[in-house]
Amino acid sequence: MGPKLKKEKPDSKAKLAKQKVTYEEAVPVSMESVGHPEIFPLVLTTKTQEIFSCRAEEDVTEEHPNKLIKKEDIIQDLRNRAGISDFHPVKKIVMEYPGEELLVVYDKEFKYGQSFYLIGTEEAKESILNPPVEQEDTEEVKESVEEVYVYKPPIPKPWVSLGSEKEIEEESVQESTVRAKYKISRKRRQFGAPIKFGDLNASSVKENYIECTAYVDKNYTIKQLEKDIGIQMIPVLKDEHTQTQWKYPRNAAIQYVPREFSKEERNNLLQSKDLQDFLNSVSLSVEVALQQNEIMNVFIDDWKALAEEETTFGDKTDSHLKEYQSFTDLHNIKEKTITCICWHPTIYGLIAVSIAERLSYEDRVQFSGRLLLQPSLILFWSFSDPIHPQLMLQSPEDIICFQFCPSNPNIIAGGCINGQIVLWDISAYAERIVNIKGSGGASKKAVLKPIFLLEPDSNKESLYVRHAAVSSIEHGHKKIITDIHWLADNFELNRMGYVFENRSGISCQLVTCSIDCTIYFWDIRPTRPPPTPVDKKKEETVEVPHDVPPTFLHLDLTWRPLIKITLAKNGTTLDHCPVKVSLRDDYLHYQAQVLKDNQTLQQKAQIAGEDAYQNLESGLTKILKPMEDYNTKFFVGTEDGEVIYTDWRMERDHDSGRLTSQKPLNRYLVHDGSIHTVQRSPFYNDIVLTIGGWNVAIWKEGVPQGPLLQSSCSSKRYTAGHWSLTRAGVFFVGKEDGYIDIWDLLEKTHEPAQTQNICITSITYITPWMIASKQQFVAIADNYGTLHILEIPWTLSHPSANEVQSVNNYFDREVSHLRYTEKRKEIREKERAEMQLESERKKVKVFQKSREQLEAELKISYEEYLDLEKQILGNLGVVPDTDRIPSSFRDLLL
Amino acid sequence: MAEVEETLKRIQNHKGVIGTMVVNAEGIPIRTTLDNSTTVQYAGLLHQLTMKAKSTVRDIDPQNDLTFLRIRSKKHEVMVAPDTLLGLGLDYGWICAGATCPELCSTLNM
């Protein structure tokens, strides 16, 4: 609300007070200007207040400001006091008041200017006296619903000017003067009439125009000192555009066709003389070139052929075996001997050795009680640790021979001294023996500790591994097992000895021979018929230690051989006692190529499946294909020194219907003592080396005449032997005085090429092995239990060019020599028979010739002799005179 | 015609020869004993090589000329005899592919 314009009521009141005598009726002042036209401010003197009993602060208070006064009383007062009555100014209102009572309100705060004010209208009176209850209600409602915001649309309020319209008026441009309007029109009769236009020069007729020339009026030079300018700042924008050339790759292809002649053209050309001449001229040189190619082999690589003598590793003349390492177990070996050595097929530097007591048979029997307490072990040695064996396999009895399974090097089969076969499964220890740390790290400590105080390192602690299975005692061999071999994994045998294809991909059959005159074939897979209850009871009483893998539990103590072959001699009760067996597909063939054929081994392992030895039963269910043309014959060396060639297939005896083994096909008595080595050559399938007694023999399968080579007896007994793995004509023989003979068939065949001393006692076993492509070791075991590892020098391990071929040629020569001698023998026989007859006939003949005849014959022969002499002397040029015939040579001398 | 045939047959029947072909100066084969694709391939490649060899020899000594070109590889030997001896206007090239390495001889029974 804007400032209220108050009009001075006291002034007017003062005027009225002055003019009260004049009785002028003043216009009652109302609060009309304030918006309350019914309110008339009043001043009531104390006397008036007493009269009407509306004394301030006594009758009327702030809380009760309303006082109703009767109209008649006011009128009475007006008559009584006329001009001095306080109600005089509002007399008119009072007179015109419709109601009987008027309301006078005490205005303590002088809200309307005076201490009292009179309400002029009935309605206002009513509204003040009875303020509408609704307001109270709404006030109450409002008080309760304070939180809810009620939207009130804005109420338009009257415009209150603050002076801005003045500025607008000043700025606005208005026309100050009234515009003059002129309307020019032609006369009405000229509307639509034709018009004539003419040219008129303005300067010629001066009356027709009025000019207002512009001039500079000095009064009106106004300098504009202020100027309203609007400025806007924008950045400078520049529009530019470029167009790039789009280079895109495009595929382009060219297709071409060779030019060719048509048939007619060709024929024409062929018949042209030029072509003939050309051919005639050129064909000669072409034929010369072709002949050159035929004469000599143009595809020879000269560089390769030049390298006959390659640079050797080390000295060329050095052909001694060099000592590399030797292993002796200080704890276990006391008066023990090594019976068999086997290199680990896959792990570098790991070699296994079987140990047995060095006692003769009688001593064994005598000390059998003590022997039971001694462990029988196979020790695993590693090159990196010469003192502690890495692994020790326990067995119930001394092991005479053992072999790693070619398909799974964690399976080991060994033959015992009592005729049992023992199987070990070292899969659990496979990681240990693969990563063998050397013992050098621990021994570098400053304090030297004795061996037994060293902390047991996890690698140095030797583990005793119990065997996984042993064969049945009743059904196995009765005497010591002298040889054990795994059969190759590409065939298997059934009970008749017939060969079948092996689909399981693993070696699962063994062959053992023993000096109880039998050769047994064994199968490590569980047999189809379940074991009888009797056996089961026995099994239950045996508690298997928990650390033994369950691979061969089905075999333990119930293992029976698959095939039993007895080697019977004709007519005598004594049978052959086989010591060594050599089958056709010996493992040597694998081993010689082990460096190349790792892939095939892996493939075989894949065929077999993971851990094929754990699922041995799965192999039984496959139906196998028989291999017809497999060679089932094999060589056997016996204790008597005989070499036997026999067949393992069983025959059915017609009379009894039982299976019997065949009679040996060939028997040769070549050696003077027990044969200890029967071995196939790693290069040739059919060459066998047998060593026994005091000599060596080489045989070829299929040549029944005899050995190709039979050496003379040596001074010392041969005790061990082995072919070389890389050189076809070299083999090693060990003697009983600790010397090794190295034979080289290409160098000398009548005696060994070299001998070398290894140790002081007799050698029991020799095994060479390829460690790397350039390095070859040979492991030699002696009777005192020491294992020597020697390095084979380059000359002995590296084959010369075409060595295999040369040795083969040598063998062929020997074979043909044998055949020749055989034939010669026949011829000799014939000749001898004839000679016999001749001599017989001659004896029968009577002496008929007389003496004269004899003399005549003598003379004639003498003459002939003289002629002959003359001829020879004449040829020699000794006799200048051909006429003079010397009677004899003696004449010349005279 | 008969002479030509006879000469060609004689060369072809040499021991170790796999195939022969006669090619003209531009490298288009006239007569061949091999199959079409091989012929075309050999003709194209060897023609360029022969030309290159010829120009090399000529560059070194302008009065010299290429008489024979033999290419020996691991498996075969290719012999090319260009026509230069008679100095005719028309050039013929003779290409003869022979296999003389012993292994192949046995398999091809030549």
Side-chain angles (χ1 to χ4, degrees):
Chain A
M1 279 179 57
K4 297 182 184 171
L5 287 174
K6 284 191 179 170
K7 287 196 174 160
E8 295 264 353
K9 287 162 297 286
D11 288 339
S12 58
K13 187 67 179 138
K15 275 184 200 167
L16 285 172
K18 286 174 190 167
Q19 291 171 2
K20 69 183 176 187
V21 186
T22 58
Y23 296 108
E24 264 182 18
E25 282 194 7
V27 176
V29 177
S30 75
M31 301 305 296
E32 194 175 338
S33 62
V34 197
H36 290 281
E38 69 275 10
I39 290 175
F40 300 94
L42 268 183
V43 175
L44 295 177
T45 57
T46 31
K47 194 158 193 260
T48 317
Q49 286 176 11
E50 282 172 17
I51 292 167
F52 290 102
S53 64
C54 59
R55 285 181 280 265
E57 305 303 324
E58 286 173 18
D59 295 325
V60 290
T61 57
E62 202 175 345
E63 287 86 22
H64 303 283
N66 305 324
K67 180 73 181 171
L68 286 167
I69 301 169
K70 285 200 173 128
K71 183 178 169 185
E72 293 170 2
D73 291 340
I74 296 174
I75 292 170
Q76 190 74 36
D77 183 56
L78 280 168
R79 281 200 211 111
N80 291 342
R81 298 199 292 164
I84 47 170
S85 169
D86 293 323
F87 289 102
H88 188 73
V90 295
K91 182 182 176 180
K92 193 181 177 192
I93 301 296
V94 170
M95 293 303 187
E96 291 169 358
Y97 193 73
E100 280 197 1
E101 286 185 340
L102 280 96
L103 181 64
V104 172
V105 183
Y106 170 62
D107 192 4
K108 186 179 181 187
E109 291 158 5
F110 289 83
K111 198 164 152 191
Y112 296 110
Q114 298 300 335
S115 57
F116 287 89
Y117 60 84
L118 178 77
I119 303 297
T121 59
E122 256 317 291
E123 298 85 18
K125 180 179 102 177
E126 290 297 321
S127 71
I128 286 171
L129 281 176
N130 309 317
V133 186
E134 305 138 23
Q135 282 179 2
E136 288 177 17
D137 290 346
T138 54
E139 279 175 12
E140 285 171 12
V141 167
K142 274 182 197 170
E143 281 170 12
S144 64
V145 194
E146 258 177 2
E147 290 87 30
V148 176
Y149 173 71
V150 177
Y151 169 67
K152 285 188 273 190
I155 304 162
K157 295 191 184 91
W159 164 255
V160 176
S161 166
L162 292 172
S164 56
E165 55 262 25
K166 272 193 197 163
E167 291 174 14
I168 295 171
E169 276 178 31
E170 281 168 19
E171 291 292 322
S172 64
V173 175
Q174 283 168 353
E175 292 177 5
S176 50
T177 57
V178 178
R179 286 193 185 176
K181 286 185 188 171
Y182 290 99
K183 180 177 173 185
I184 304 167
S185 67
R186 290 188 294 161
K187 291 183 184 168
R188 185 153 175 100
R189 58 180 172 91
Q190 282 181 341
F191 278 11
I195 300 169
K196 256 201 290 189
F197 283 110
D199 284 331
L200 195 62
N201 200 356
S203 56
S204 58
V205 182
K206 290 214 178 153
E207 299 90 22
N208 284 354
Y209 76 96
I210 297 171
E211 193 181 38
C212 285
T213 52
Y215 65 97
V216 179
D217 189 356
K218 293 215 171 120
N219 296 332
Y220 292 97
T221 52
I222 302 172
K223 278 194 184 161
Q224 191 172 16
L225 292 175
E226 271 185 16
K227 200 172 170 187
D228 266 332
I229 311 176
I231 299 179
Q232 186 175 0
M233 280 182 41
I234 53 168
V236 175
L237 271 179
K238 234 177 162 187
D239 257 331
E240 293 244 12
H241 63 275
T242 65
Q243 178 83 19
T244 56
Q245 284 175 337
W246 177 32
K247 289 197 170 79
Y248 56 93
R250 241 176 308 184
N251 284 336
I254 301 176
Q255 187 167 359
Y256 55 90
V257 160
R259 283 183 296 175
E260 286 178 350
F261 283 135
S262 64
K263 267 207 168 157
E264 300 87 30
E265 282 177 338
R266 272 196 216 181
N267 285 335
N268 285 342
L269 284 170
L270 279 171
Q271 288 170 3
S272 68
K273 188 172 182 304
D274 290 333
L275 184 67
Q276 287 183 9
D277 291 338
F278 156 70
L279 283 179
N280 289 335
S281 66
V282 157
S283 59
L284 188 64
S285 57
V286 172
E287 288 195 354
V288 164
L290 283 172
Q291 276 169 6
Q292 280 176 0
N293 278 359
E294 282 175 31
I295 292 168
M296 71 159 259
N297 180 12
V298 274
F299 292 98
I300 273 185
D301 188 353
D302 293 325
W303 292 111
K304 269 192 191 160
L306 189 63
E308 273 283 340
E309 312 118 26
E310 285 172 51
T311 52
T312 55
F313 276 35
D315 213 352
K316 209 173 168 190
T317 57
D318 174 26
S319 52
H320 263 323
L321 303 171
K322 275 179 280 214
E323 174 97 14
Y324 182 79
Q325 209 167 13
S326 74
F327 296 101
T328 327
D329 187 16
L330 303 167
H331 296 295
N332 292 319
I333 298 190
K334 284 160 199 142
E335 297 178 359
K336 288 208 182 183
T337 174
I338 296 178
T339 48
C340 187
I341 310 174
C342 238
W343 291 81
H344 196 283
T346 48
I347 299 176
Y348 166 83
L350 196 66
I351 187 168
V353 156
S354 69
I355 300 178
E357 294 288 335
R358 194 180 349 121
L359 297 169
S360 67
Y361 187 68
E362 292 85 16
D363 294 335
R364 261 183 199 275
V365 172
Q366 206 172 2
F367 296 117
S368 56
R370 179 161 66 95
L371 286 177
L372 279 175
L373 299 171
Q374 303 260 353
S376 320
L377 299 167
I378 294 184
L379 304 177
F380 276 64
W381 293 103
S382 162
F383 279 3
S384 47
D385 190 353
I387 303 172
H388 304 274
Q390 299 303 311
L391 212 58
M392 298 204 264
L393 308 181
Q394 271 181 332
S395 91
E397 298 286 335
D398 285 344
I399 306 278
I400 301 296
C401 54
F402 71 98
Q403 203 181 18
F404 285 92
C405 172
S407 326
N408 185 354
N410 290 330
I411 311 268
I412 300 146
C416 290
I417 211 167
N418 64 344
Q420 278 185 309
I421 301 183
V422 188
L423 283 172
W424 289 272
D425 183 358
I426 56 167
S427 318
Y429 307 97
E431 305 88 42
R432 269 178 54 118
I433 53 178
V434 169
N435 310 318
I436 296 173
K437 295 172 205 160
S439 60
S443 63
K444 280 177 186 165
K445 288 182 185 168
V447 179
L448 279 173
K449 291 184 189 171
I451 293 174
F452 52 86
L453 280 184
L454 277 171
E455 293 95 14
D457 213 330
S458 62
N459 269 340
K460 288 202 280 180
E461 190 182 284
S462 306
L463 272 191
Y464 285 88
V465 181
R466 194 187 170 275
H467 55 273
V470 289
S471 66
S472 153
I473 299 177
E474 309 93 60
H475 301 287
H477 287 289
K478 308 286 185 295
K479 290 193 188 170
I480 67 167
I481 297 179
T482 47
D483 199 12
I484 186 167
H485 283 287
W486 288 88
L487 293 185
D489 60 3
N490 53 348
F491 70 96
E492 62 178 60
L493 306 178
N494 75 341
R495 302 205 64 228
M496 288 282 289
Y498 287 98
V499 178
F500 286 88
E501 173 194 319
N502 183 345
R503 296 258 217 91
S504 47
I506 53 167
S507 295
C508 48
Q509 293 185 331
L510 300 162
V511 57
T512 59
C513 69
S514 158
I515 53 174
D516 63 350
C517 315
T518 51
I519 298 175
Y520 287 169
F521 284 83
W522 305 76
D523 194 323
I524 61 175
R525 292 173 297 190
T527 52
R528 288 192 189 102
T532 60
V534 178
D535 288 347
K536 247 191 177 173
K537 275 189 194 166
K538 282 187 192 166
E539 256 193 75
E540 281 167 14
T541 54
V542 174
E543 278 178 22
V544 180
H546 56 273
D547 59 346
V548 170
T551 333
F552 298 116
L553 270 183
H554 55 266
L555 297 171
D556 201 10
L557 286 179
T558 59
W559 199 6
R560 309 161 73 116
L562 189 66
I563 305 170
K564 297 185 187 182
I565 299 176
T566 45
L567 295 174
K569 277 195 201 174
N570 297 329
T572 55
T573 51
L574 284 172
D575 295 332
H576 300 280
C577 307
V579 177
K580 286 283 179 190
V581 164
S582 170
L583 303 169
R584 186 161 182 102
D585 265 336
D586 230 352
Y587 78 100
L588 275 178
H589 287 284
Y590 286 74
Q591 192 271 317
Q593 304 163 1
V594 74
L595 291 173
K596 295 176 211 163
D597 282 348
N598 266 332
Q599 242 188 4
T600 51
L601 278 174
Q602 281 170 11
Q603 282 170 2
K604 280 181 182 158
Q606 274 174 2
I607 299 168
E610 287 277 328
D611 286 339
Y613 283 94
Q614 314 294 331
N615 310 326
L616 286 169
E617 294 183 19
S618 60
L620 290 176
T621 54
K622 296 182 191 168
I623 300 170
L624 302 168
K625 192 179 66 173
M627 288 166 77
E628 296 297 327
D629 50 356
Y630 205 82
N631 190 0
T632 58
K633 305 185 183 58
F634 60 105
F635 281 91
V636 181
T638 69
E639 215 179 12
D640 306 322
E642 279 187 322
V643 175
I644 298 175
Y645 187 59
T646 181
D647 194 331
W648 71 56
R649 270 190 289 218
M650 308 286 276
E651 280 178 340
R652 269 206 191 275
D653 201 6
H654 294 292
D655 303 331
S656 56
R658 277 188 301 155
L659 291 171
T660 55
S661 45
Q662 292 188 13
K663 298 281 187 293
L665 297 166
N666 292 302
R667 289 185 304 129
Y668 309 95
L669 185 60
V670 162
H671 297 282
D672 312 312
S674 160
I675 295 177
H676 53 75
T677 303
V678 176
Q679 211 178 58
R680 303 251 166 179
S681 166
F683 294 90
Y684 311 104
N685 253 349
D686 47 4
I687 302 286
V688 178
L689 171 75
T690 57
I691 305 179
W694 281 267
N695 57 357
V696 170
I698 296 182
W699 307 79
K700 185 164 172 131
E701 201 168 347
V703 174
Q705 286 89 2
L708 299 182
L709 172 73
Q710 187 180 350
S711 77
S712 57
C713 292
S714 78
S715 52
K716 295 282 175 189
R717 200 185 175 113
Y718 288 134
T719 49
H722 205 283
W723 283 100
S724 160
L725 298 175
T726 48
R727 291 195 64 187
V730 172
F731 55 93
F732 307 96
V733 186
K735 297 205 277 210
E736 66 177 351
D737 56 354
Y739 276 78
I740 270 202
D741 283 349
I742 302 170
W743 287 70
D744 186 351
L745 290 175
L746 292 177
E747 205 178 309
K748 291 188 241 191
T749 55
H750 61 282
E751 61 173 16
Q754 282 177 356
T755 60
Q756 189 176 344
N757 180 268
I758 306 293
C759 53
I760 49 173
T761 173
S762 72
I763 294 174
T764 52
Y765 211 87
I766 299 178
T767 316
W769 191 257
M770 284 282 284
I771 294 288
S773 60
K774 301 272 189 245
Q775 220 183 8
Q776 220 184 45
F777 288 131
V778 62
I780 298 174
D782 69 0
N783 210 14
Y784 281 165
T786 310
L787 177 69
H788 305 267
I789 310 280
L790 293 107
E791 187 172 349
I792 300 180
W794 177 255
T795 47
L796 282 178
S797 62
H798 187 72
S800 55
N802 302 327
E803 176 158 344
V804 176
Q805 191 64 29
S806 317
V807 174
N808 210 15
N809 291 342
Y810 165 73
F811 288 136
D812 289 338
R813 282 201 304 271
E814 291 297 321
V815 168
S816 55
H817 173 72
L818 279 173
R819 290 202 179 118
Y820 173 75
T821 48
E822 204 177 313
K823 278 190 195 140
R824 286 302 299 178
K825 266 191 200 162
E826 287 171 17
I827 294 173
R828 277 284 150 81
E829 284 292 324
K830 281 186 207 157
E831 276 187 356
R832 205 179 300 144
E834 276 180 19
M835 295 271 284
Q836 283 253 336
L837 281 172
E838 269 290 324
S839 60
E840 290 291 319
R841 262 190 283 130
K842 272 193 178 162
K843 279 184 195 163
V844 172
K845 251 188 190 175
V846 178
F847 180 71
Q848 283 173 358
K849 292 178 188 166
S850 64
R851 202 167 178 272
E852 289 85 7
Q853 279 180 321
L854 281 170
E855 275 192 17
E857 282 177 354
L858 279 171
K859 190 143 173 93
I860 292 167
S861 61
Y862 185 66
E863 295 287 337
E864 284 176 354
Y865 165 72
L866 285 177
D867 285 330
L868 181 66
E869 198 186 42
K870 182 180 80 180
Q871 198 184 3
I872 289 171
L873 289 174
N875 285 342
L876 286 174
V878 172
V879 182
D881 199 344
T882 53
D883 298 329
R884 195 164 148 244
I885 302 166
S887 59
S888 77
F889 190 60
R890 271 182 286 134
D891 295 340
L892 278 176
L893 294 176
L894 290 171
Chain B
M1 180 64 180
E3 263 190 52
V4 166
E5 290 286 345
E6 193 211 304
T7 318
L8 286 170
K9 267 211 183 114
R10 206 173 65 230
I11 303 262
Q12 172 67 30
N13 288 333
H14 254 274
K15 179 178 168 223
V17 172
I18 297 179
T20 60
M21 63 178 89
V22 181
V23 162
N24 86 333
E26 291 169 330
I28 306 172
I30 297 173
R31 176 64 181 252
T32 173
T33 61
L34 303 166
D35 59 286
N36 198 26
S37 52
T38 317
T39 305
V40 152
Q41 191 180 28
Y42 268 93
L45 294 168
L46 286 168
H47 179 70
Q48 293 176 23
L49 187 63
T50 315
M51 288 301 121
K52 191 72 175 176
K54 192 168 182 166
S55 66
T56 307
V57 169
R58 279 279 175 95
D59 277 345
I60 293 171
D61 183 5
Q63 286 167 353
N64 205 350
D65 204 359
L66 178 74
T67 51
F68 209 83
L69 180 64
R70 271 172 141 185
I71 301 161
R72 197 173 298 159
S73 72
K74 262 196 214 167
K75 294 183 188 171
H76 312 292
E77 182 169 6
V78 180
M79 297 177 192
V80 182
D83 173 34
T84 53
L85 302 175
L86 294 182
L88 296 173
L90 296 163
D91 283 315
Y92 288 97
W94 175 296
I95 304 171
C96 165
T100 45
C101 52
E103 299 84 14
L104 271 177
C105 269
S106 56
T107 55
L108 292 169
N109 289 325
M110 286 188 180

